Amino acid sequence: MSVAARPTTASPATPTRESWPLMRGAPTDAALTDHLLAPLWRASRVWWLLFGLSTLGTLLLLGTVTYTVLVGIGTWGNNIPVAWAFAITNFVWWIGIGHAGTFISAFLLLLNQHWRGSINRVAEAMTIFALVNAALFPVLHLGRPWFFYWLIPYPATMNVWPNFKSARPWDVAAVTTYFTVSLLFWYLGLVPDLASARDRAPTRRRRLAYGVFAMGWRGSGFQWERYRIAYVLLAALATPLVISVHSVVSLDFSIAQLPGWHSTIFPPYFVVGAIYSGLAMVLLLLLPLRRAFRLHDIVTEAHLDAIAKLMLAMGLMLTYSYVIETFMAWYSANTAERYTYLTSRPFGPYAVAYWIMTVLNVVSPQLFWWRRLRTNTVVLFLASAGILVGMWMERFIIIVTSLNRDFLTSSWHIYIPSWVDWSILAGSLGLFGFLFLLFVRFVPSVAISEVKSLRIELANSPARSGHA
Amino acid sequence: MRDRTWSAGAYLAEFSSPAELKSAVRELSTRGYTGLETYSPVPVECGIRRSYSPLPVVVFLAGLFGGIASYAIQWYANAYAYPLDIGGRPPHAVPAFIIPTFEGTVLCAAIAAFIGFFVVTRLPQPWHPVFEIDGFERATVDRYWLAVDASDRRGAPDLTIRELRALSPLRIVHLEAES
């Protein structure tokens, strides 16, 4: 039993600490373009299967939304005092998911992070589809969704104007701006790739269709120069939105007096949580896509490693927020605050959701301290799914536990979601999948011109050799 | 230079790499050519002198307009046209108006950047002389093209062709002037 008999830690089998390349292999530009455009020309059986499933989900959403509009939101489980429940939980969750797209495409562009180029298209598409889902919920929650335009300031014959001291018009301003800017940024980024698709299209009809959307792009030096200026301008305009949108959403809560909502940490806490859940959704979509479209040479371990590190950082900041808001509740010495944070949430009727949230959001990112786990696709996939569930639970806890037991015990009430609540949530996942599947089928899901630029840049600078 | 001003036609040369395109532009520029334009699947910085883009100024002004307009709408709605006393808060509530003002600024600036890009590049443009060239489709895939305006001050067609040929491109194409 001598210690010397054990293998030494510095054996040659130990993986070395060198970093991964941002790109592998040396395909020709034509081969690379064709590889990245291939999903546009034919659909696999798996795609049709998933598309069928997501269509069913979308139909479920359509059916339950129609039912809600016809009958009213009494079909949902929420009632006074829990007036906000699934609808607002879903709204905050979806809009949070949207944040990673802008974070990756705009924030990281301005920070000159080369690895964003291979994944930004997927992240931007995810943002747009998440926002489509998010916008649905507050509109339905209005009760009379056909009057949603009353939130927009326009000279009406009634002479009534929206009240801008309320958080609701802020949400309208923040979400419409975010959606519009994300869509414009996404489309501008697409133009050169749509031109590639036009020029590689196998049939005349497709050539015409992509040609219309490519708007006659011919890649002249003048166009490229103006394009880069416009792209960077849009990125610079989108970057403050990464911070502002979820800050505005958090103000819906923090300007109220309710224990569990009335807190100054909310804006940064919400932004961190948003980027966290968004990165999880990016991985959840990217990992199967990478496998299905054989993108291993373009989305390498370097990308997975970078996203996992970001998730770890966001997870730690979120944990800090959980700790601080609980500490502040205790430190305030306010009976209602202390009750909400120290009794109702961890031990009250929704304690299960609270502990699911804590375990999934606080513990699962800790896996990413290990380099090997940061590039293990199974671990990444499961952790991302877990974080998405955890983040949904977080919004549920913030909304429902604060409302269902506030200052007066006489107004306490238990909230139970109805089947319509669950169906709309499931249906919105279906709609998200539906839109995303259409995206990967008809739009180049990797920014081809950016990847080609990166390849040329890496070839010309062997010193950097593309390490992240 | 802008490639929509070829009144006398143009000569185009096809290259297979950005490095060849760059050195070709450098070579012709030192010989005094001014009417040069490139076509590439990725942005290639060739040092062709261009006018300043008006876009940054336009975007700034649009943002300024968006901010002022958003604030003015809120002031008009809540402080002037329809003041509501809710909890004794002032009708002209500056802190509450900050958020829509910020959003209006970003929204107008972003829309201006997007539309402005298509205006300054004159897109959408369904047809352009270069689309007539067989094989020009590869300019968005893996080929790098150089165009020389036939009315360039170095003028003489055979000289241009000779000097282009000296750069050993894959091929040279002559686009006739539009009649």
Side-chain angles (χ1 to χ4, degrees), chain A residues 171-394:
Chain A
D171 273 351
V172 175
V175 175
T176 45
T177 300
Y178 192 37
F179 181 75
T180 313
V181 175
S182 304
L183 193 67
L184 299 182
F185 193 49
W186 183 64
Y187 188 75
L188 190 66
L190 263 174
V191 168
D193 287 355
L194 290 172
S196 297
R198 169 197 70 199
D199 292 342
R200 279 306 212 200
T203 62
R204 187 175 156 75
R205 262 176 59 191
R206 285 174 179 172
R207 189 177 164 79
L208 267 174
Y210 286 106
V212 166
F213 286 106
M215 298 211 178
W217 175 267
R218 53 185 185 274
S220 73
F222 176 74
Q223 286 178 334
W224 273 119
E225 194 243 11
R226 296 305 197 240
Y227 172 84
R228 285 162 91 184
I229 291 171
Y231 198 70
V232 170
L233 278 172
L234 270 179
L237 289 167
T239 298
L241 296 182
V242 179
I243 308 296
S244 72
V245 178
H246 232 52
S247 297
V248 173
V249 170
S250 82
L251 294 179
D252 290 353
F253 301 95
S254 59
I255 62 169
Q257 308 272 313
L258 212 59
W261 289 7
H262 191 59
S263 164
T264 48
I265 202 177
F266 261 41
Y269 164 32
F270 267 51
V271 171
V272 163
I275 297 173
Y276 186 48
S277 61
L279 291 169
M281 187 58 105
V282 167
L283 275 181
L284 209 64
L285 298 170
L286 193 64
L287 291 170
L289 200 69
R290 179 173 181 251
R291 200 186 161 115
F293 295 165
R294 295 193 304 280
L295 300 174
H296 298 80
D297 291 344
I298 290 153
V299 180
T300 66
E301 288 84 356
H303 298 90
L304 304 182
D305 183 64
I307 300 175
K309 278 179 184 160
L310 277 174
M311 275 165 69
L312 175 60
M314 296 298 160
L316 291 176
M317 284 192 262
L318 194 69
T319 307
Y320 171 80
S321 303
Y322 289 166
V323 171
I324 286 297
E325 68 166 357
T326 312
F327 169 77
M328 288 313 290
W330 172 80
Y331 193 63
S332 72
N334 179 302
T335 318
E337 285 275 334
R338 282 190 173 179
Y339 177 76
T340 298
Y341 279 98
L342 304 176
T343 309
S344 172
R345 284 188 182 177
F347 308 110
Y350 301 105
V352 175
Y354 178 84
W355 291 108
I356 291 176
M357 161 193 109
T358 309
V359 170
L360 291 178
N361 288 351
V362 175
V363 179
S364 54
Q366 308 305 329
L367 295 171
F368 301 144
W369 287 106
W370 285 277
R371 189 177 141 91
R372 197 173 297 191
L373 297 182
R374 285 200 298 271
T375 51
N376 183 320
T377 49
V378 177
V379 171
L380 283 172
F381 191 84
L382 293 178
S384 300
I387 287 166
L388 281 168
V389 173
M391 286 307 297
W392 191 89
M393 291 295 171
E394 180 199 300

Side-chain angles (χ1 to χ4, degrees), chain A residues 28-31 33-34 153 158-166 169-171 173-178 180-181 183-185 187-188 191-192 195-200 207 212 214-230 233-234 237-238 240-241 244-245 248 251 255 448-450 452-453 456 460, chain B residues 1-4 16 18 22 37-45 50-56 59 73-78 81-82 84-86 89-93 95-97 99-100 102-107 109-111 113-114 117-118 120-128 130-131 136-142 144:
Chain A
T28 63
D29 276 348
T33 309
D34 286 338
M158 296 179 289
N159 276 320
V160 175
W161 291 85
N163 172 23
F164 290 102
K165 286 171 280 183
S166 148
W170 302 349
D171 273 351
V175 175
T176 45
T177 300
Y178 192 37
T180 313
V181 175
L183 193 67
L184 299 182
F185 193 49
Y187 188 75
L188 190 66
V191 168
S196 297
R198 169 197 70 199
D199 292 342
R200 279 306 212 200
R207 189 177 164 79
V212 166
M215 298 211 178
W217 175 267
R218 53 185 185 274
S220 73
F222 176 74
Q223 286 178 334
W224 273 119
E225 194 243 11
R226 296 305 197 240
Y227 172 84
R228 285 162 91 184
I229 291 171
L233 278 172
L234 270 179
L237 289 167
L241 296 182
S244 72
V245 178
V248 173
L251 294 179
I255 62 169
I448 302 171
S449 66
E450 290 201 37
K452 281 194 282 197
S453 281
I456 292 166
N460 290 342
Chain B
M1 99 133 219
R2 297 185 183 186
D3 55 354
R4 60 171 177 273
S16 59
K22 258 188 213 176
E37 183 54 294
T38 59
Y39 299 90
S40 52
V42 298
V44 180
E45 192 44 68
R50 300 180 194 283
S51 57
Y52 278 108
S53 171
L55 210 52
V59 168
I73 289 170
Q74 295 178 80
W75 173 84
Y76 178 81
N78 285 182
Y82 190 59
L84 271 178
D85 187 344
I86 299 168
R89 280 174 281 179
H92 185 181
F97 293 174
I99 290 163
F102 165 77
E103 302 292 347
T105 309
V106 173
L107 184 64
I111 291 174
F114 183 78
F117 163 74
F118 289 101
V120 295
T121 52
R122 299 285 164 96
L123 291 177
Q125 188 178 356
W127 183 84
H128 187 272
V130 292
F131 291 150
F136 191 79
E137 303 89 68
R138 292 183 70 174
T140 60
V141 180
D142 63 345
Y144 299 78

